[in-house]
Amino acid sequence: METETGRLATALGRAGAGAALLSSFEDVCYATGFEVPPPIDAGAAFAFGPTLALVTADGGTTLLAPNAYAARVEEMSRADENVLVETFGHFDAVDAEHAFLAAVRSTVAALRGDVLALDRRTLPAAAAEVLEGFRTVDARPILRSARLIKTPHEIELLREAVVAADAGQEALRTLARTGRNELDVMGDVVTFVERTAGRPVPWAGELVTGPRTATLRYPGGPIDREIEPGDTVLMDLSVRNRGYWADCTNTLVAGAEPSDDQLRYFLAARAAFEAAADALRPGRRASDAFEAAAEALGQHGLEPAHYAGHGIGTAVNEEPRLVPYDHTPIEANMVFAVEPGAYAGSEGTTGARAERIVLVTESGPEVLSSFGWGMDG
């Protein structure tokens, strides 16, 4: 069975690189399965540098993580070797910078003379001193090539993440009631997501209600506002479960039947979703999906307000992106979050976005999300 490490090793070989030193959370997760925590806890504060992964062209993997993450590493990592970097001592002082650089130096020592792929966005400048003498190349196009097509294991994890996100969207339909505060609704939605996932999950997105749905100012909420009768309610929900993301958006009306205006914008967004999703077929291009969404919006007298979607995986927003200038060929086992929107603008009172996860198969698109749309028509 095709694996993530195998795809990455193949991409390294094509690029003429002997190894890649990965430093972004999404690349580390892709290579090792270790779900790097959001950098807001004590473990991140103790560490001098990011969690790293070394992947060699023969498929070997080494994870370098702060010792504060020892339990998580034991639970999640599938790397051949796990190196815990001592970055903090509760009773004796630790030189975190020295420990981090020493771990990097030791890990790459056997590779001297090889071409080493690096991510210049996220690797600390201090690492340059221990990598001096290496011939280096940009790791980003190598990782892009590997991560574009999802493996069966990745698709399984993406399906699991979608189930958790679906639970949040289904919960919104009963939680977004007249008189409830946006902050309370969002908190309750996350509870449903985490109970479905069976664990705490990082999440992102927005919950906006009323006239704020008429314009795009992401993230526009939640804020301290009570939902009023007849308000449009729009929730864009992204959740990460076991290292992989789901991203979905629904639009509904609280405490009343949709007005003609609300229905117009929602049906336009939904039609644009359906058109863009249908364009995600092997042999087409990412830009074709954008053009399909734009044509559908045009049939409702509207123009695109933003892109029609993006790839998704260990990052919530990956390439290819469904924009008019991205002509990446669509291939089977790509996965996209398709999310066109339609908005009345600053002079209006409503808007809508329709977003679900779509898997490209040999025979066409498969919509993985199963939550019900917020309006019918």
Side-chain angles (χ1 to χ4, degrees):
M1 180 183 293
E2 185 180 41
T3 66
E4 297 86 272
T5 305
R7 285 191 57 82
L8 182 49
T10 299
L12 285 168
R14 285 198 300 262
L21 185 62
L22 308 177
S23 46
S24 72
F25 74 87
E26 60 266 31
D27 288 342
V28 170
C29 182
Y30 178 80
T32 69
F34 179 64
E35 187 179 19
V36 181
I40 56 175
D41 64 358
F46 294 156
F48 173 77
T51 300
L52 303 176
L54 182 77
V55 181
T56 59
D58 62 4
T61 53
T62 303
L63 176 70
L64 288 78
N67 60 342
Y69 295 155
R72 294 176 64 93
V73 169
E74 182 178 358
E75 175 191 354
M76 298 176 181
S77 175
R78 62 171 186 269
D80 299 322
E81 181 182 6
N82 296 312
V83 177
L84 296 176
V85 182
E86 188 176 7
T87 57
F88 177 78
H90 287 276
F91 305 105
D92 296 302
V94 172
D95 186 336
E97 179 176 358
H98 174 79
F100 174 79
L101 296 178
V104 175
R105 182 182 293 108
S106 174
T107 300
V108 302
L111 299 169
R112 193 162 295 279
D114 286 341
V115 175
L116 186 62
L118 305 174
D119 185 344
R120 292 173 295 177
R121 300 172 308 158
T122 53
L123 188 67
E129 67 183 65
V130 299
L131 299 175
E132 188 174 350
F134 279 93
R135 292 177 294 154
T136 62
V137 296
D138 188 356
R140 288 172 293 174
I142 297 172
L143 268 295
R144 180 185 187 276
S145 173
R147 288 171 49 193
L148 276 178
I149 311 298
K150 306 313 182 197
T151 67
H153 175 243
E154 288 186 283
I155 292 171
E156 178 185 343
L157 291 174
L158 284 161
R159 288 183 186 274
E160 290 182 16
V162 166
V163 169
D166 280 351
Q169 290 290 2
E170 288 295 344
L172 179 70
R173 296 160 69 90
T174 57
L175 293 171
R177 299 188 300 273
T178 299
R180 296 210 69 205
N181 189 286
E182 288 183 16
L183 294 167
D184 293 333
V185 172
M186 195 75 224
D188 289 345
V189 164
V190 172
T191 296
F192 273 87
V193 170
E194 294 186 331
R195 286 197 174 275
T196 301
R199 61 200 295 263
V201 297
W203 66 275
E206 67 173 354
L207 173 67
V208 293
T209 66
R212 294 188 354 267
T213 61
T215 56
L216 183 66
R217 297 187 63 184
Y218 182 89
I223 63 172
D224 184 11
R225 178 186 187 272
E226 288 189 357
I227 299 173
E228 299 180 3
D231 270 353
T232 303
V233 178
L234 185 155
M235 184 175 74
D236 187 334
L237 178 65
S238 305
V239 300
R240 186 179 78 173
N241 187 28
R242 297 175 61 195
Y244 281 76
W245 286 89
D247 189 7
C248 54
T249 308
N250 206 0
T251 311
L252 51 87
V253 177
E257 291 298 313
S259 68
D260 290 345
D261 209 32
Q262 288 170 321
L263 200 56
R264 176 199 176 201
Y265 284 96
F266 178 76
L267 292 180
R270 192 175 75 180
F273 165 84
E274 291 169 351
D278 188 63
L280 294 174
R281 299 174 179 273
R284 304 291 295 275
R285 296 182 180 274
S287 53
D288 293 336
F290 175 85
E291 297 300 340
E295 182 178 351
L297 289 169
Q299 292 173 359
H300 289 261
L302 301 168
E303 296 181 352
H306 51 71
Y307 65 178
H310 52 86
I312 194 165
T314 54
V316 70
N317 195 311
E318 299 183 351
E319 296 179 343
R321 296 190 173 95
L322 307 182
V323 291
Y325 53 85
D326 189 335
H327 305 301
T328 302
I330 301 299
E331 299 182 56
N333 295 329
M334 287 182 170
V335 181
F336 291 90
V338 179
E339 59 168 329
Y343 312 92
S346 58
E347 301 301 316
T349 60
T350 191
R353 191 153 67 248
E355 179 181 20
R356 286 175 170 169
I357 300 297
V358 178
L359 166 67
V360 181
T361 74
E362 293 289 357
S363 58
E366 177 189 348
V367 179
L368 302 187
S369 306
S370 63
F371 63 87
W373 289 127
M375 299 183 217
D376 297 317

